[in-house]
Amino acid sequence: MSNISNKLLRLDRYLASVTDYSRSDAKKLIKAGEITVDGLVVRDPAQGVAANAELTLNGHSLRAASSRYIMLNKPQGYICAARDRRHQTVLDLMDEDNPERLHVAGRLDIDTTGLVLLTDDGNWSHAVTSPQRKCWKRYYVETAEVINEQAQLHFSRGVFLKDDKARTLPAELEILGERVARLKICEGRYHQVKRMFGAEGNLVTRLHREAIGDIVLDADLAEGEYRYLTAAEVASVQK
């Protein structure tokens, strides 16, 4: 492995992370002497191994899978969760190995469409979702009532949402038509966009996320389709 780290990892956890084996199956393989670490057989599942250690399983070299960064064009009717008893999830739209290891960086409501980011990199996901990092999310919004021009001022100052004790962070509202707007926010409160317009006495009838930071939903992706992010798109979140 190319990136050397001094951090020691439990052998059974490491083995489960780079294969399809469960932790319990990984322990059985280790105890059976089928795993070598730097050329030596190791039978203790709890033994610590360096992140740059050379592991083999039955003579085959193992490598930690590289992190995945994916954009998906979410249709209506899907929820942003790993599993749900009543609804299909965004993971049901994907043909990926070990999809359960992916999580959504910035969820959308079941009836909201557009850009969803999925990853198995927790630090990257935090950079997307943490309000302190100010990774702006841009939405296209349609409403039932005419959008009051005063909403621009109110949103720029932050508004109080029902049952929340603090104002929203400043947001940018661009009115495109009587009932059409674009909104940029850097938070992800529960139903935030809908509740912000609700605080103005208006109802959101359509909500579509167009961009997260510098990552813009690919116009070539039909609803339900996805692709891996480019290296530049991945790096844009950390800048």
Side-chain angles (χ1 to χ4, degrees):
M1 302 173 72
S2 59
N3 293 326
I4 297 177
S5 171
N6 293 323
K7 182 179 179 181
L8 295 182
L9 311 167
R10 273 185 63 111
L11 180 55
D12 56 347
R13 288 181 179 173
Y14 181 87
L15 184 58
S17 72
V18 297
T19 67
D20 290 330
Y21 291 109
S22 65
R23 280 278 299 280
S24 60
D25 287 337
K27 289 180 179 179
K28 292 176 182 177
L29 290 170
I30 296 166
K31 291 178 179 179
E34 298 183 35
I35 304 299
T36 66
V37 179
D38 292 333
L40 299 176
V41 174
V42 176
R43 297 178 183 271
D44 181 5
Q47 177 166 320
V49 296
N52 64 324
E54 292 290 338
L55 272 64
T56 66
L57 168 60
N58 295 325
H60 297 286
S61 181
L62 298 174
R63 292 288 185 273
S66 58
S67 295
R68 293 175 287 181
Y69 308 92
I70 297 170
M71 74 159 62
L72 179 143
N73 187 358
K74 177 189 170 300
Q76 286 189 349
Y78 289 80
I79 65 169
C80 293
R83 62 180 61 88
D84 188 86
R85 293 181 178 179
R86 294 183 299 168
H87 304 287
Q88 289 185 296
T89 77
V90 290
L91 294 183
D92 293 322
L93 295 167
M94 310 184 74
D95 181 16
E96 291 289 316
D97 293 333
N98 303 314
E100 70 282 354
R101 294 178 185 168
L102 294 167
H103 63 272
V104 175
R107 298 183 176 187
L108 292 179
D109 301 334
I110 190 171
D111 58 347
T112 301
T113 61
L115 178 61
V116 167
L117 299 178
L118 300 104
T119 184
D120 46 19
D121 182 342
N123 290 331
W124 190 84
S125 176
H126 178 73
V128 172
T129 58
S130 173
Q132 287 73 29
R133 298 296 296 271
K134 293 191 175 179
C135 183
W136 292 92
K137 289 80 176 173
R138 189 179 80 223
Y139 295 85
Y140 170 84
V141 187
E142 294 181 3
T143 63
E145 307 296 334
V146 174
I147 300 171
N148 191 326
E149 290 186 0
Q150 287 297 309
Q152 289 179 308
L153 177 62
H154 298 162
F155 287 2
S156 69
R157 292 175 174 174
V159 296
F160 282 106
L161 305 180
K162 184 179 180 181
D163 299 326
D164 284 4
K165 296 180 180 180
R167 290 179 185 268
T168 59
L169 292 177
E172 299 178 12
L173 178 66
E174 177 188 6
I175 299 176
L176 304 176
E178 287 190 341
R179 296 176 176 83
V180 183
R182 278 195 174 91
L183 178 67
K184 290 176 63 178
I185 63 174
C186 60
E187 296 176 280
R189 300 192 195 186
Y190 180 71
H191 294 322
Q192 181 172 341
V193 174
K194 296 174 182 177
R195 293 166 69 202
M196 288 177 69
F197 279 91
E200 295 290 312
N202 211 335
L203 175 70
V204 172
T205 58
R206 184 189 173 199
L207 186 59
H208 177 82
R209 186 157 64 194
E210 299 177 326
I212 296 176
D214 291 334
I215 302 173
V216 179
L217 180 61
D218 194 325
D220 291 333
L221 288 179
E223 286 194 346
E225 292 184 341
Y226 68 93
R227 69 162 172 82
Y228 277 73
L229 298 184
T230 65
E233 288 170 332
V234 173
S236 71
V237 171
Q238 300 287 4
K239 70 181 182 181

PDB file of all heavy atoms in Angstrom, residues 48-61:
ATOM      1  N   GLY A  48      -2.946  -6.030  16.018  1.00  0.00           N
ATOM      2  CA  GLY A  48      -2.895  -4.789  15.271  1.00  0.00           C
ATOM      3  C   GLY A  48      -1.968  -4.887  14.084  1.00  0.00           C
ATOM      4  O   GLY A  48      -0.882  -5.471  14.186  1.00  0.00           O
ATOM      5  N   VAL A  49      -2.394  -4.350  12.966  1.00  0.00           N
ATOM      6  CA  VAL A  49      -1.558  -4.333  11.768  1.00  0.00           C
ATOM      7  C   VAL A  49      -1.495  -2.902  11.244  1.00  0.00           C
ATOM      8  O   VAL A  49      -2.451  -2.131  11.362  1.00  0.00           O
ATOM      9  CB  VAL A  49      -2.100  -5.275  10.672  1.00  0.00           C
ATOM     10  CG1 VAL A  49      -2.063  -6.719  11.149  1.00  0.00           C
ATOM     11  CG2 VAL A  49      -3.509  -4.883  10.255  1.00  0.00           C
ATOM     12  N   ALA A  50      -0.360  -2.547  10.679  1.00  0.00           N
ATOM     13  CA  ALA A  50      -0.191  -1.206  10.120  1.00  0.00           C
ATOM     14  C   ALA A  50      -0.991  -1.075   8.830  1.00  0.00           C
ATOM     15  O   ALA A  50      -1.233  -2.055   8.118  1.00  0.00           O
ATOM     16  CB  ALA A  50       1.290  -0.937   9.853  1.00  0.00           C
ATOM     17  N   ALA A  51      -1.388   0.158   8.529  1.00  0.00           N
ATOM     18  CA  ALA A  51      -2.189   0.394   7.329  1.00  0.00           C
ATOM     19  C   ALA A  51      -1.418   0.088   6.052  1.00  0.00           C
ATOM     20  O   ALA A  51      -2.027  -0.121   5.001  1.00  0.00           O
ATOM     21  CB  ALA A  51      -2.676   1.847   7.304  1.00  0.00           C
ATOM     22  N   ASN A  52      -0.068   0.047   6.140  1.00  0.00           N
ATOM     23  CA  ASN A  52       0.731  -0.254   4.960  1.00  0.00           C
ATOM     24  C   ASN A  52       1.229  -1.699   4.956  1.00  0.00           C
ATOM     25  O   ASN A  52       2.111  -2.051   4.166  1.00  0.00           O
ATOM     26  CB  ASN A  52       1.923   0.707   4.861  1.00  0.00           C
ATOM     27  CG  ASN A  52       2.881   0.545   6.030  1.00  0.00           C
ATOM     28  OD1 ASN A  52       2.458   0.285   7.150  1.00  0.00           O
ATOM     29  ND2 ASN A  52       4.163   0.723   5.774  1.00  0.00           N
ATOM     30  N   ALA A  53       0.663  -2.536   5.846  1.00  0.00           N
ATOM     31  CA  ALA A  53       1.086  -3.938   5.900  1.00  0.00           C
ATOM     32  C   ALA A  53       0.649  -4.671   4.635  1.00  0.00           C
ATOM     33  O   ALA A  53      -0.363  -4.336   4.020  1.00  0.00           O
ATOM     34  CB  ALA A  53       0.493  -4.615   7.132  1.00  0.00           C
ATOM     35  N   GLU A  54       1.410  -5.686   4.255  1.00  0.00           N
ATOM     36  CA  GLU A  54       1.075  -6.523   3.111  1.00  0.00           C
ATOM     37  C   GLU A  54       0.323  -7.751   3.606  1.00  0.00           C
ATOM     38  O   GLU A  54       0.884  -8.580   4.329  1.00  0.00           O
ATOM     39  CB  GLU A  54       2.342  -6.945   2.369  1.00  0.00           C
ATOM     40  CG  GLU A  54       3.066  -5.797   1.668  1.00  0.00           C
ATOM     41  CD  GLU A  54       2.296  -5.274   0.464  1.00  0.00           C
ATOM     42  OE1 GLU A  54       1.452  -6.022  -0.072  1.00  0.00           O
ATOM     43  OE2 GLU A  54       2.530  -4.109   0.072  1.00  0.00           O
ATOM     44  N   LEU A  55      -0.958  -7.847   3.236  1.00  0.00           N
ATOM     45  CA  LEU A  55      -1.791  -8.962   3.662  1.00  0.00           C
ATOM     46  C   LEU A  55      -2.099  -9.872   2.481  1.00  0.00           C
ATOM     47  O   LEU A  55      -2.292  -9.385   1.359  1.00  0.00           O
ATOM     48  CB  LEU A  55      -3.110  -8.469   4.260  1.00  0.00           C
ATOM     49  CG  LEU A  55      -3.130  -8.155   5.773  1.00  0.00           C
ATOM     50  CD1 LEU A  55      -2.211  -7.005   6.091  1.00  0.00           C
ATOM     51  CD2 LEU A  55      -4.548  -7.871   6.231  1.00  0.00           C
ATOM     52  N   THR A  56      -2.148 -11.170   2.752  1.00  0.00           N
ATOM     53  CA  THR A  56      -2.591 -12.111   1.722  1.00  0.00           C
ATOM     54  C   THR A  56      -3.647 -13.032   2.299  1.00  0.00           C
ATOM     55  O   THR A  56      -3.646 -13.345   3.497  1.00  0.00           O
ATOM     56  CB  THR A  56      -1.426 -12.966   1.185  1.00  0.00           C
ATOM     57  OG1 THR A  56      -0.938 -13.814   2.234  1.00  0.00           O
ATOM     58  CG2 THR A  56      -0.302 -12.107   0.639  1.00  0.00           C
ATOM     59  N   LEU A  57      -4.549 -13.477   1.465  1.00  0.00           N
ATOM     60  CA  LEU A  57      -5.580 -14.458   1.803  1.00  0.00           C
ATOM     61  C   LEU A  57      -5.416 -15.621   0.834  1.00  0.00           C
ATOM     62  O   LEU A  57      -5.595 -15.454  -0.377  1.00  0.00           O
ATOM     63  CB  LEU A  57      -6.970 -13.844   1.678  1.00  0.00           C
ATOM     64  CG  LEU A  57      -8.161 -14.800   1.717  1.00  0.00           C
ATOM     65  CD1 LEU A  57      -8.204 -15.583   3.022  1.00  0.00           C
ATOM     66  CD2 LEU A  57      -9.467 -14.037   1.516  1.00  0.00           C
ATOM     67  N   ASN A  58      -5.021 -16.771   1.394  1.00  0.00           N
ATOM     68  CA  ASN A  58      -4.775 -17.944   0.546  1.00  0.00           C
ATOM     69  C   ASN A  58      -3.815 -17.621  -0.601  1.00  0.00           C
ATOM     70  O   ASN A  58      -3.999 -18.055  -1.742  1.00  0.00           O
ATOM     71  CB  ASN A  58      -6.087 -18.499  -0.020  1.00  0.00           C
ATOM     72  CG  ASN A  58      -6.995 -19.044   1.067  1.00  0.00           C
ATOM     73  OD1 ASN A  58      -6.527 -19.601   2.057  1.00  0.00           O
ATOM     74  ND2 ASN A  58      -8.295 -18.874   0.890  1.00  0.00           N
ATOM     75  N   GLY A  59      -2.823 -16.800  -0.283  1.00  0.00           N
ATOM     76  CA  GLY A  59      -1.808 -16.467  -1.271  1.00  0.00           C
ATOM     77  C   GLY A  59      -2.121 -15.291  -2.159  1.00  0.00           C
ATOM     78  O   GLY A  59      -1.270 -14.845  -2.934  1.00  0.00           O
ATOM     79  N   HIS A  60      -3.328 -14.741  -2.062  1.00  0.00           N
ATOM     80  CA  HIS A  60      -3.723 -13.605  -2.895  1.00  0.00           C
ATOM     81  C   HIS A  60      -3.577 -12.308  -2.103  1.00  0.00           C
ATOM     82  O   HIS A  60      -4.085 -12.186  -0.991  1.00  0.00           O
ATOM     83  CB  HIS A  60      -5.166 -13.758  -3.371  1.00  0.00           C
ATOM     84  CG  HIS A  60      -5.384 -14.964  -4.246  1.00  0.00           C
ATOM     85  ND1 HIS A  60      -4.945 -15.019  -5.548  1.00  0.00           N
ATOM     86  CD2 HIS A  60      -5.982 -16.160  -3.987  1.00  0.00           C
ATOM     87  CE1 HIS A  60      -5.275 -16.193  -6.071  1.00  0.00           C
ATOM     88  NE2 HIS A  60      -5.897 -16.909  -5.133  1.00  0.00           N
ATOM     89  N   SER A  61      -2.901 -11.343  -2.694  1.00  0.00           N
ATOM     90  CA  SER A  61      -2.658 -10.069  -2.024  1.00  0.00           C
ATOM     91  C   SER A  61      -3.956  -9.289  -1.852  1.00  0.00           C
ATOM     92  O   SER A  61      -4.821  -9.277  -2.734  1.00  0.00           O
ATOM     93  CB  SER A  61      -1.661  -9.244  -2.827  1.00  0.00           C
ATOM     94  OG  SER A  61      -1.392  -8.015  -2.182  1.00  0.00           O
TER      95      SER A  61
END
